[in-house]
């Protein structure tokens, strides 16, 4: 994708709203179904559609730059050269350089198995059971997946139960290949990728993590008034049902 200036010029024209109270710039990410570049539909995704609706309601202009490596994207955000990130967790350490909107959706982290093995693992009520039964688990290399997972992670690693993956595409392939019968991750991302690969998966009964996500704005290049306008826009769109309708189209209730 990098270097395809003509494609991105068209995409930016389509995704740029009339200038209003603020101009926010973000970099494209490949995080389906939340934001990604599709050969059929262009730049799309749940978080992008939600952000588009919110920023338009707030009178803002949204600019999308080409995809960047994660570390580079984070550096540019902290410097203020990018001033918007989607689906951010509101953590104390980020308040040094960022301000956060009110929540605009919730993320769910779950453990899945293939649909034909759900009955075998339906009794599991948490990570303690996975560790106790010495069950192999596939999990993302990086990210926060809840206190219960963090607590048992050393034991899972020491026991050799844990195998990690760098992308959900890789993780689902490992699951289908039998590297393990359980896989941990963002529920929406795993369901999307499993559907893409034709792998039928089912979630175990317990939820590993359910947490709010926010729009994250750089403090140096945005203002409290802009954040106030965005929060007010989220409130109006939640009350009117517009955000719920977008989430429902992606299977988020």
């Amino acid at each position: 994708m990098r270097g395809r200036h003509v494609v991105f010029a068209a995409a930016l024209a389509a995704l740029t709203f009339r200038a209003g109270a603020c101009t926010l710039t973000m970099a494209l990410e490949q995080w389906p179904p939340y934001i990604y570049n599709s050969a059929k539909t262009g730049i799309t995704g749940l978080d992008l559609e939600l952000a588009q609706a919110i920023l338009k309601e707030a009178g803002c202009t949204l600019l999308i730059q080409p995809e960047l490596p994660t570390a580079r994207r984070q550096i540019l955000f902290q410097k203020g050269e990018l001033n918007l990130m989607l689906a951010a967790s509101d953590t104390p350490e980020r308040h040094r350089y960022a301000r956060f909107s009110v929540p605009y959706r919730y993320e769910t982290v779950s453990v899945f198995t293939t649909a034909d093995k759900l009955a075998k693992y339906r009794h599991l009520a948490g990570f303690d059971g996975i560790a106790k039964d010495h069950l192999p688990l596939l999990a993302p290399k990086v990210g926060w997946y809840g206190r219960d997972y963090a607590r048992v992670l050393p034991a899972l690693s020491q026991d050799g139960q844990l195998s990690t993956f760098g992308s959900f595409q890789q993780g689902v392939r490992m699951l289908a290949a039998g590297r393990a019968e359980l896989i941990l991750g963002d529920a929406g991302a795993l369901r999307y990728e499993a559907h893409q690969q034709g792998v039928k998966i089912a979630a175990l009964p317990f939820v590993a993590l359910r947490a709010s996500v926010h729009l994250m704005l750089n403090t140096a290049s945005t203002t409290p008034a802009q954040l106030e306008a965005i929060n007010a826009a989220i409130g109006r769109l939640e009350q009117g049902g517009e955000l719920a309708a977008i989430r429902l189209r992606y299977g988020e209730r």
Side-chain angles (χ1 to χ4, degrees):
M1 277 180 292
R2 300 187 189 94
R4 297 182 184 178
H5 302 296
V6 174
V7 174
F8 271 94
L12 289 178
L15 294 169
T16 301
F17 303 115
R18 185 177 63 184
C22 59
T23 298
L24 297 176
T25 304
M26 57 175 284
L28 176 66
E29 299 179 52
Q30 293 298 323
W31 179 236
Y34 303 110
I35 177 170
Y36 60 104
N37 196 13
S38 166
K40 293 182 179 180
T41 59
I43 303 172
T44 188
L46 171 59
D47 278 317
L48 181 61
E49 287 197 35
L50 291 169
Q52 285 178 300
I54 292 164
L55 296 180
K56 185 176 182 180
E57 178 70 17
C60 292
T61 299
L62 174 63
L63 301 176
I64 300 181
Q65 293 188 357
E67 185 180 0
L68 295 168
T70 301
R72 178 64 175 163
R73 186 171 64 246
Q74 183 67 26
I75 290 171
L76 291 180
F77 180 86
Q78 292 188 28
K79 292 171 63 177
E81 295 181 31
L82 301 173
N83 56 16
L84 175 67
M85 285 193 177
L86 309 183
S89 298
D90 186 346
T91 60
E93 60 272 15
R94 287 177 166 177
H95 282 257
R96 294 183 293 104
Y97 54 83
R99 51 174 57 98
F100 295 85
S101 75
V102 297
Y104 67 89
R105 72 169 177 87
Y106 285 81
E107 64 177 354
T108 301
V109 174
S110 298
V111 177
F112 289 80
T113 186
T114 53
D116 61 314
K117 294 183 174 67
L118 179 59
K120 180 179 177 181
Y121 297 113
R122 197 189 297 273
H123 67 283
L124 293 171
F127 291 106
D128 287 329
I130 294 174
K132 181 181 178 181
D133 291 351
H134 303 283
L135 300 173
L137 176 69
L138 299 168
K141 289 180 181 178
V142 297
W144 173 254
Y145 299 99
R147 290 187 178 88
D148 289 342
Y149 176 68
R151 177 173 49 81
V152 302
L153 180 57
L156 293 174
S157 300
Q158 186 175 3
D159 197 37
Q161 294 175 241
L162 192 67
S163 296
T164 60
F165 53 84
S167 69
F168 285 104
Q169 182 182 64
Q170 180 188 23
V172 171
R173 285 176 178 169
M174 291 169 72
L175 181 72
R179 290 284 299 276
E181 294 184 355
L182 301 175
I183 185 169
L184 167 72
D186 178 274
L190 277 173
R191 287 191 176 104
Y192 175 88
E193 188 54 49
H195 177 74
Q196 292 296 108
Q197 296 188 30
V199 178
K200 294 182 179 180
I201 62 172
L204 271 57
F206 72 94
V207 173
L209 175 69
R210 182 167 171 79
S212 60
V213 298
H214 312 255
L215 298 180
M216 183 168 72
L217 283 66
N218 174 269
T219 53
S221 55
T222 64
T223 68
Q226 291 167 347
L227 179 63
E228 184 178 345
I230 288 171
N231 285 339
I234 292 173
R236 291 192 298 271
L237 294 174
E238 289 287 15
Q239 186 173 11
E242 290 90 345
L243 298 186
I246 294 172
R247 292 191 295 259
L248 186 60
R249 289 207 311 272
Y250 286 84
E252 298 278 340
R253 298 182 180 275

